[in-house]
């Protein structure tokens, strides 16, 4: 049995995700940009929310928590490292801890970089990763708090997950991310096809998430600092550290 996942667009470009275990009826949500769209889907589906999982403290990921908690009585789980700046937590978790949705156990992965204390949730049976503003579709989150080396270490952990893992990230930024990626790798054929697929999805107003980790490994420049072509383009030799090349790609994206 795997979890059913429902993508819920919130605010202008955020996503919340419902995770539902049909056997037990248990339901969780990852991030709460606003309560109303989440409550609407819970009602349509007839699901009862048991758990709210938080990835990081930014308002566009947590500002609906109090309203959603009041309406559902759900337990709120977030990073111990971020406890002081998250809504009140019922449980605080760190790297390696388990979070349960019905019969499936998810793992907490520390993915600091965008913020220090940002966590991702990996559900291996369902092959789903909720990465919010760490690994994003064809991109990664801006480094508001962490260093490039820290974000590179976080992304490296995610890169070692099974390639079929679906990546549910926090925002609909894919069109812009691909436009930037093409400045780094203009000749990447898979990236060019991804641009066509994403344009077709957006023309129909459909989400471009989830992607798969294998797709990210092949097209996301932030996961590809080891590629010889990228290194040549950016003026790095084969002796450069991946983290240095990553830092340069992130720097160019900030200026893009
Ligand atoms: Zn954020």
């Amino acid at each position: 049995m795997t979890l059913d996942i429902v993508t819920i667009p919130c605010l202008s470009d955020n996503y919340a995700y419902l995770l539902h275990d049909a056997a037990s009826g248990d339901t969780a949500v990852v991030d709460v940009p606003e309560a109303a769209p989440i409550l609407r889907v819970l009602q349509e589906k007839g699901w009862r929310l048991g758990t709210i999982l938080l990835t990081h403290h930014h308002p566009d990921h947590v500002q609906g928590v109090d309203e959603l908690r009041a309406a559902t009585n759900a337990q709120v789980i977030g990073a111990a490292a971020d406890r002081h700046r998250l809504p009140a937590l019922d449980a605080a978790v760190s790297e390696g801890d388990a979070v349960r949705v019905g019969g499936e156990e998810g793992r907490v992965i520390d993915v600091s970089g965008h913020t220090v204390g940002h966590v991702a949730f990996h559900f291996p049976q369902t092959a789903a990763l909720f990465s919010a503003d760490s690994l994003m579709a064809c991109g990664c989150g801006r480094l508001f708090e962490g260093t490039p080396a820290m974000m590179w270490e976080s992304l490296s952990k995610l890169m070692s997950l099974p390639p079929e893992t679906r990546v549910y990230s926090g925002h609909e930024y894919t069109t812009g991310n691909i436009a930037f990626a093409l400045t780094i790798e203009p000749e990447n054929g898979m990236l060019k096809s991804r641009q066509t697929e994403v344009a077709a999805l957006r023309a129909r107003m459909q989400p471009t998430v989830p992607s798969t980790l294998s797709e990210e490994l092949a097209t996301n420049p932030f996961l590809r600092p080891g590629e010889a072509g990228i290194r040549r383009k950016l003026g790095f030799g084969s002796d450069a550290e991946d983290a240095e090349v990553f830092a340069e790609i992130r720097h160019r994206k900030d200026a893009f």
Side-chain angles (χ1 to χ4, degrees), residues 56 58 60-61 114-115 118 133 144 171:
H56 68 297
H58 283 158
D60 62 318
H61 293 257
H114 174 70
T115 63
H118 192 311
D133 300 355
F144 286 114
H171 290 269

Side-chain angles (χ1 to χ4, degrees), residues 2-256:
T2 56
L3 300 171
D4 297 324
I5 299 171
V6 181
T7 300
I8 307 178
C10 292
L11 305 174
S12 59
D13 56 29
N14 281 75
Y15 289 120
Y17 298 103
L18 283 181
L19 289 61
H20 178 73
D21 177 58
S24 63
D26 198 9
T27 305
V29 69
V30 176
D31 286 344
V32 191
E34 53 181 335
I38 297 167
L39 287 167
R40 207 176 306 129
V41 177
L42 286 168
Q43 186 166 20
E44 277 165 20
K45 300 271 188 190
W47 294 349
R48 203 184 66 80
L49 189 70
T51 310
I52 297 171
L53 298 171
L54 301 178
T55 60
H56 68 297
H57 75 283
H58 283 158
D60 62 318
H61 293 257
V62 303
Q63 65 199 7
V65 168
D66 290 335
E67 187 185 342
L68 188 61
R69 182 197 337 237
T72 60
N73 227 357
Q75 299 280 104
V76 182
I77 299 177
D82 257 352
R83 183 164 214 160
H84 61 287
R85 53 185 185 175
L86 287 171
L89 298 181
D90 297 295
V93 291
S94 305
E95 167 110 352
D97 285 348
V99 290
R100 180 163 281 286
V101 182
E104 185 161 351
E105 195 166 86
R107 283 280 151 199
V108 175
I109 305 175
D110 181 313
V111 287
S112 289
H114 174 70
T115 63
V116 175
H118 192 311
V119 289
F121 300 98
H122 177 228
F123 290 84
Q125 255 172 278
T126 301
L129 172 73
F130 297 90
S131 56
D133 300 355
S134 59
L135 174 59
M136 307 187 82
C138 213
C140 77
R142 197 174 276 268
L143 303 180
F144 286 114
E145 297 178 7
T147 61
M150 188 185 282
M151 180 62 113
W152 174 245
E153 192 190 325
S154 297
L155 294 178
S156 300
K157 288 188 239 177
L158 303 182
M159 288 165 72
S160 68
L161 297 175
E164 67 274 16
T165 305
R166 279 167 300 156
V167 181
Y168 295 84
S169 50
H171 290 269
E172 184 56 60
Y173 289 164
T174 319
T175 303
N177 286 346
I178 290 177
F180 168 73
L182 281 165
T183 68
I184 303 292
E185 274 194 298
E187 301 307 324
N188 181 330
M190 285 187 69
L191 180 57
K192 286 193 251 184
S193 348
R194 191 173 186 184
Q195 185 181 42
T196 309
E197 287 156 26
V198 161
L201 285 169
R202 294 312 292 154
R204 299 196 300 273
M205 305 288 281
Q206 285 176 9
T208 62
V209 291
S211 56
T212 62
L213 184 58
S214 61
E215 195 179 0
E216 296 306 328
L217 289 166
T219 57
N220 185 329
F222 295 101
L223 303 188
R224 299 169 59 76
E227 286 299 307
I230 291 183
R231 286 176 170 231
R232 248 190 326 273
K233 173 135 186 117
L234 303 184
F236 290 95
S238 54
D239 55 337
E241 298 286 337
D242 286 338
E244 278 176 77
V245 183
F246 169 82
E248 175 61 21
I249 300 170
R250 188 58 253 178
H251 176 73
R252 289 186 183 217
K253 176 66 162 62
D254 292 341
F256 181 67

